[in-house]
Amino acid sequence: MALRDEVQVGSKDPSGFGVHRKRFVYFALIGLFVVQSGLTYTTSTEVPDSAATLSEQARHGEALYREFNCTACHQFYGLGGYMGPDLTNVISAEGKGPAYAKVFILYGTGRMPAMGVSEEQADALVAFLGAVSATGTYPVRNMDLTVWGTYREMHTDEK
Amino acid sequence: MKSEWTAAKGFVVAGLIALLSGALFGVIGSWQHVIPGVVDAIPFVKSRPLHVSLVIAWIFLTAVGGVYHYLPKIVGAPLHSTRLAWLHLAIFIGTGIAVVVSYFMGRFGGREYWEFPPVLGIPIVASWLLLIYNFFRTANKHKGPWPAYLWMWGTGIVFFLITYTEANLYLFPHFTGNMVRELTVQWKAYGALTGSWNLLVYGTAMVVMERSTGNTAIARSKTAFLLFGLGFTNLLFGWAHHIYPVPSALWIRVLAYGVSMTEWIILARMIRQWRGTLEEGKRGQGSMTGRFLFASEAWVFINLGLALLISIPAINLFTHGTHITVAHAMGSTIGINTTILFASVFFISSAPITKNLRVGFWLFNGSLLVFWLCLVGAGMVKGYYTVLSDLPFQSIMLRARPFIVGFAVSGVGLFIGLWMLTWAGVRTLLRTPGDPAELDIHSAFLVEGPGSPAPENGHAVRQGSTTTLQP
């Protein structure tokens, strides 16, 4: 970044910012990071626990979702692979739902491979997808942009 | 003492091999988007993680190899333990092989980035502890205040361990039990994880710049520390720009937005300095190292601009979950990280500029630009129709198809460019006996005038081609 051009060579303390002050700022940042981490682990969500907590079967489904590496092709809230569609609301979306999802999971399509998922596993996967659906809506399509570069209803899209 | 540089070189050579094989799986994976089911033997569920893990391995192996290589020269004392460096390399390679085998066998951990079974994280953490121990034992011998790159390396190394551990918190029911918390913590870890490897890579850029120009003042300047401070702050607090649409707590997203915007300072600085950067680029044309460092500047500029834009929630609304995110990821890992690491590789191997290298360099950068633009194009199509229309996924992807084809085609060009560069890198590294010839490059990229104090300690230790650093 063309750093060289603005460096004053030969000055005693080129950074002009002593080691002690550097250390202070550094460890203060780390302190804040620890606080932030604690808060994130405990208060990270606005979704009530009742909606976000997974049932036993959904947990099994989540583990299967990892085992079959569905994330290679699918996303939740836009996070994951890009070959297939986002699955956040596949269970709650109009015209889709558990039976619809189960067909894809069991048999695949021309684009999605059949992965040898059993009936019982498919049910667990569908339960998991249902639990995800209950946490919110993605993509956000009902928003109000603000002058601050943000949008209102950042995540609640209840029409 | 010969082993000392050899371990470093082992890391770099392993890194280059990982890069080339990772890029090959990338080509396969990209074509699987164009022609479903092509290369059936390695389906997309496998080609994608093979690609991701191998190219991440390239970044880590080569950055760490650079740390082992440069650190003793910087400190003016040998590495605390060359044996531990070897052990680190052995564990890394062993784990890497286990990861590749588990993918081929269809055993997945199924997490973004780390798609391998989580048990394989244990040797990674163990070997990383060796690096931490070795790094700090060696770096403590440094006389006087640490230059910025030692702060960056030290921080990057420690924070990789912290965030990698955090990325595995999902193994505890408290985290997996709540989907939103799980996603939030996962991306908190990932944001900081990329931040920490960026610190390793940017630290390397600074070291290579210092050692190739002989200017030791850069890394001690106020600006260097300011940039480090900003980068570190963003690593710690900026991660939630990855998850604006996730229904996490509002404070998390507001904090990330505010912190992310501090990077405009860096962009503004780059714009103010563009003339100096260009001149510096011209001076560096005489070596591959100089060329790659200059290319990395250009890629930093392009990517930082994109990153800043997509960190604005109102824009992110359209770009999130689209190929624009991929463009950003590829721009940073290939455009920035890989160019810097190539600068380091060619510095260590002191490869002379050959016609092949020149062609490889331009093929690499040119293809990457097309590749990047195609991803941005595909992302714009996908974002626009996803948010503003009711078209189903497959119809949207059909509209983005020309861009996806362009992406896959330019990916082949990128691969060929990488091939030429990697080949030259491995060959020159294997051919360089003893301590690689820093001084040769040094003269090719020497800056005249004030501001170039005579190279000290590390540089002077090379006498003859087989002598390495003396204890």
Side-chain angles (χ1 to χ4, degrees), chain A residues 6 14 18 60 66 76 116 132 137 153 158:
Chain A
E6 55 184 58
H60 179 45
R66 288 201 294 268
F76 290 130
V132 177
T137 312
E153 301 181 29
E158 280 106 34

Side-chain angles (χ1 to χ4, degrees), chain B residues 225-239:
Chain B
F225 280 95
L226 181 74
L227 292 180
F228 164 58
L230 273 175
F232 187 43
T233 308
N234 273 278
L235 176 163
L236 296 175
F237 306 111
W239 48 271

Side-chain angles (χ1 to χ4, degrees), chain B residues 426-448:
Chain B
V426 171
R427 230 183 27 177
T428 45
L429 274 171
L430 291 183
R431 208 195 282 149
T432 327
D435 195 18
E438 275 198 23
L439 289 174
D440 299 352
I441 278 272
H442 190 83
S443 51
F445 194 12
L446 199 65
V447 188
E448 335 73 69

Side-chain angles (χ1 to χ4, degrees), chain A residues 1 4 6-7 15 26 36-37 41 44 46 49 52-54 59 62 69 77 111 141 148-149 151 155, chain B residues 115 155 166 177-178 188 215 217 220 223 236 239 248-250 253 257 273 283 297 313-314 320 389-390:
Chain A
M1 291 179 199
R4 198 186 313 148
E6 55 184 58
V7 165
S15 81
Y26 187 79
Q36 177 208 218
S37 300
Y41 297 163
S44 48
E46 292 181 343
D49 261 0
T53 307
L54 300 185
R59 268 181 199 233
E62 186 185 36
N69 206 20
Y77 290 104
R111 299 192 144 256
R141 297 176 56 188
W148 300 103
Y151 48 93
H155 52 87
Chain B
E115 293 174 72
T155 309
E166 195 175 40
N178 182 317
K188 174 181 187 295
N215 185 342
R220 289 153 182 86
T223 324
L236 296 175
W239 48 271
S248 58
L250 190 62
R253 286 170 288 163
Y257 181 28
Q273 303 263 314
R283 281 198 292 260
E297 297 271 351
H320 178 81
S389 84
D390 285 321

Side-chain angles (χ1 to χ4, degrees), chain B residues 48-357:
Chain B
R48 181 181 194 256
L50 282 165
H51 167 66
V52 174
S53 294
L54 282 164
V55 293
I56 291 181
W58 141 253
I59 294 175
F60 276 105
L61 284 163
T62 316
V64 168
V67 171
Y68 282 130
H69 175 78
Y70 300 115
L71 188 61
K73 297 165 193 295
I74 293 163
V75 172
L79 202 62
H80 175 69
S81 164
T82 51
R83 202 177 295 159
L84 289 183
W86 273 109
L87 186 60
H88 182 182
L89 178 63
I91 300 177
F92 247 42
I93 292 180
T95 314
I97 293 171
V99 166
V100 169
V101 169
S102 74
Y103 289 152
F104 273 110
M105 287 168 50
R107 295 294 198 90
F108 303 110
R111 302 278 289 177
E112 199 61 359
Y113 287 155
W114 311 103
E115 293 174 72
F116 51 78
V119 271
L120 293 175
I122 295 170
I124 292 179
V125 166
S127 69
W128 205 260
L129 288 170
L130 301 180
L131 172 65
I132 292 182
Y133 176 75
N134 221 346
F135 176 83
F136 284 101
R137 286 304 293 259
T138 310
N140 273 341
K141 295 180 200 152
H142 187 271
K143 295 193 185 66
W146 277 18
Y149 48 74
L150 285 184
W151 284 80
M152 292 164 119
W153 278 353
T155 309
I157 290 172
V158 170
F159 268 81
F160 170 74
L161 192 70
I162 294 175
T163 55
Y164 186 71
T165 310
E166 195 175 40
N168 280 294
L169 285 179
Y170 76 94
L171 296 169
F172 297 95
H174 170 74
F175 294 94
T176 14
N178 182 317
M179 258 313 287
V180 178
R181 183 182 300 133
E182 207 281 300
L183 276 176
T184 308
V185 173
Q186 183 183 0
W187 288 88
K188 174 181 187 295
Y190 289 178
L193 204 72
T194 49
S196 45
W197 88 53
N198 277 323
L199 280 179
L200 284 179
V201 175
Y202 287 135
T204 305
M206 223 179 250
V207 170
V208 174
M209 208 184 289
E210 171 172 304
R211 303 191 79 78
S212 60
T213 62
N215 185 342
T216 54
I218 304 169
R220 289 153 182 86
S221 68
K222 200 177 206 158
T223 324
F225 280 95
L226 181 74
L227 292 180
F228 164 58
L230 273 175
F232 187 43
T233 308
N234 273 278
L235 176 163
L236 296 175
F237 306 111
W239 48 271
H241 55 219
H242 294 116
I243 54 163
Y244 285 142
V246 176
S248 58
L250 190 62
W251 70 265
I252 289 180
R253 286 170 288 163
V254 171
L255 177 69
Y257 181 28
V259 169
S260 304
M261 291 302 110
T262 58
E263 298 212 332
W264 285 107
I265 299 172
I266 302 179
L267 196 73
R269 220 188 132 269
M270 289 192 81
I271 293 172
R272 211 162 44 100
Q273 303 263 314
W274 68 274
R275 205 185 292 273
T277 310
L278 270 188
E279 269 162 31
E280 195 172 306
K282 269 191 216 131
R283 281 198 292 260
Q285 287 305 300
S287 72
M288 287 317 289
T289 302
R291 286 179 180 217
F292 271 108
L293 282 180
F294 182 61
S296 76
E297 297 271 351
W299 284 111
V300 167
F301 184 76
I302 296 173
N303 266 288
L304 192 57
L306 181 70
L308 278 164
L309 288 178
I310 66 178
S311 295
I312 297 172
I315 296 176
N316 184 272
L317 186 65
F318 293 90
T319 63
H320 178 81
T322 73
H323 303 74
I324 291 181
T325 314
V326 189
H328 167 56
M330 296 301 104
S332 330
T333 51
I334 310 176
I336 305 174
N337 294 342
T338 297
T339 42
I340 289 175
L341 292 172
F342 267 127
S344 175
V345 168
F346 289 120
F347 187 60
I348 294 175
S349 74
S350 63
I353 300 188
T354 60
K355 180 145 180 276
N356 264 357
L357 271 178

Side-chain angles (χ1 to χ4, degrees), chain A residues 64-133:
Chain A
L64 291 168
Y65 191 85
R66 288 201 294 268
E67 259 168 55
F68 285 103
N69 206 20
C70 310
T71 193
C73 303
H74 289 293
Q75 310 178 318
F76 290 130
Y77 290 104
L79 303 162
Y82 294 81
M83 190 178 270
D86 187 283
L87 295 180
T88 313
N89 295 129
V90 64
I91 302 299
S92 56
E94 227 173 288
K96 299 184 182 174
Y100 170 92
K102 201 171 158 185
V103 172
F104 278 85
I105 294 170
L106 281 176
Y107 309 110
T109 70
R111 299 192 144 256
M112 169 167 161
M115 307 180 71
V117 180
S118 73
E119 274 288 325
E120 174 266 330
Q121 289 175 325
D123 286 329
L125 281 163
V126 168
F128 171 57
L129 294 177
V132 177
S133 274

